[in-house]
Structure formats: structure tokens, C-alpha cells
Amino acid sequence: MAELMPTPDAALSHRLGARSALGARAQELFDELCPYSGDGLRNHCLRVFHFTMLLLERRRQKADPDLLYALAMTHDLGLLCPDEQGGDYMQRSRSLFHRAFAAKSFELSPYDLRVADECLLYNHRLRPAPALCPESTAFRQSVWMDHSLGVRRYDLDAASVRDGFARYPRGDFNAVLLDFARRVLTREPWTLVDGIFM
């Protein structure tokens, strides 16, 4: 019998600590806004989280896994929320995060909010942004590690990257990416220059 892939809850539980309410809220928000029937987008988010944590561990950088999980689960949701505040999908993801998570009950510090802003605004940028905090750098690299199918590995070895893709399979993610491309090209083509390439 084939081994079952870990559920999002299992992926969350082995990394998250006391502020699991943040992760639970991120899952609720994702489930509420994700229109796709397959696991492609969810597993993309889980891979981004997984690779981010591995990069930070490899670099011996401390990080808040609850926050990074919430950011991973929401980083693409701006593409699915055209009515959210913001001129492009990265700004809309940021607006959505602030609206959903910046309440006092989640106890986000000014540094947490800096990490959130940087992760959400720069995660698809091809060229490195100057002076990002370590979490945001690892997050951006993890997004591109995933989009390059592991060709770009940064500080991770090939086996670790292969394990991430095996643990969270791509599923229907190619179809999701085609839908994302259609949304960008028809609604905000300027994002290809101002946000991704620059």
C-alpha cells in the first residue's frame, strides 16, 4: 500500500508552536478563497513553507514558523481577490494578510509585520530585493525553487528538494499556473515588469 502524503494539518503540526491559531486561520482563509478542486495550489504553498524552513535551518536563522506558514498559505491569494485593496496581486495579498491577521489576537510584532510585507511584496521578484530580512530572502528563494522545479536550489541539496516535491506533489498546479497567467495578463499585465522582473 502506498504511503499517504501528509495532510496540511500534519505538515503544520510538526513545525508550529504555541501560536497555532495563526496557522489555523491561514488554512481557513485558504479554504475560503481557493477556487481549485485539486491540491496543486495548496501543495505549492506547503512546499514554499517547507523549503523556507529548510533554508532558514540550514542558515541557522531563527524564524517564526507560525508566521511563515500563514504567509505561505496566503502569498498567492491576492490573485484570487480582485476586489481586495492594492494595485497588483502582491499588494492585494499583503492587504488580505493585514486584514485577516493583524488583529491583536495574533500578537504580531512590528518585525513580524515587516517580514509579512517583504514576503508578500517581493516573493515573485526574480532579482533580489536589497536589504530583505533573512526570512523574506528565504521565502522568495523558496518560491523560485518551486517554480523552477528545483533547478534553483540555493543552499539546499538535491535530495532535500526532491523530498519536498515528493511530500507535496504538484497535482494540478500546472493548470493553476495557467489560470494565474490568464488573470495577470488580462487584469494587470504591468505586474510582469513592476513586481516580477523589477
Side-chain angles (χ1 to χ4, degrees):
M1 185 168 127
E3 182 180 346
L4 294 174
M5 287 291 124
T7 64
D9 285 341
L12 183 63
S13 65
H14 83 278
R15 294 260 190 200
L16 299 189
R19 292 195 309 180
S20 59
L22 193 66
R25 177 65 183 123
Q27 288 186 62
E28 289 172 5
L29 194 63
F30 182 92
D31 291 340
E32 176 187 330
L33 296 174
C34 179
Y36 308 111
S37 58
D39 286 332
L41 181 57
R42 182 186 302 275
N43 283 355
H44 163 65
C45 296
L46 290 170
R47 286 191 304 272
V48 168
F49 171 65
H50 179 75
F51 292 144
T52 300
M53 294 306 298
L54 288 179
L55 283 171
L56 290 167
E57 287 168 5
R58 180 68 51 92
R59 295 166 184 171
R60 300 185 179 188
Q61 294 280 350
K62 292 186 177 179
D64 182 344
D66 301 286
L67 176 63
L68 291 170
Y69 179 86
L71 291 168
M73 296 308 292
T74 58
H75 79 280
D76 280 331
L77 294 182
L79 274 160
L80 307 171
C81 302
D83 297 327
E84 192 68 42
Q85 183 179 358
D88 60 44
Y89 70 86
M90 290 160 283
Q91 293 174 25
R92 290 193 300 276
S93 292
R94 176 185 180 270
S95 173
L96 179 67
F97 180 88
H98 277 267
R99 188 167 55 78
F101 297 101
K104 282 187 176 180
S105 58
F106 293 112
E107 299 179 354
L108 297 177
S109 71
Y111 184 77
D112 291 337
L113 294 175
R114 175 190 168 192
V115 170
D117 287 350
E118 290 180 359
C119 285
L120 297 171
L121 293 176
Y122 295 109
N123 71 86
H124 280 149
R125 183 168 165 160
L126 275 169
R127 296 174 60 202
L132 293 183
C133 60
E135 298 95 328
S136 308
T137 297
F139 194 91
R140 185 187 69 80
Q141 290 171 340
S142 295
V143 168
W144 283 109
M145 194 183 313
D146 195 64
H147 285 312
S148 73
L149 302 176
V151 172
R152 299 181 79 169
R153 297 197 313 266
Y154 301 95
D155 294 340
L156 298 185
D157 58 82
S160 297
V161 175
R162 280 196 305 270
D163 175 68
F165 280 98
R167 185 177 300 209
Y168 309 111
R170 284 178 60 83
D172 66 337
F173 191 49
N174 286 342
V176 171
L177 288 174
L178 283 174
D179 185 53
F180 278 5
R182 178 189 60 79
R183 290 171 187 263
V184 169
L185 290 172
T186 57
R187 296 178 185 171
E188 52 191 270
W190 61 87
T191 306
L192 295 175
V193 175
D194 185 11
I196 295 178
F197 292 109
M198 299 295 287

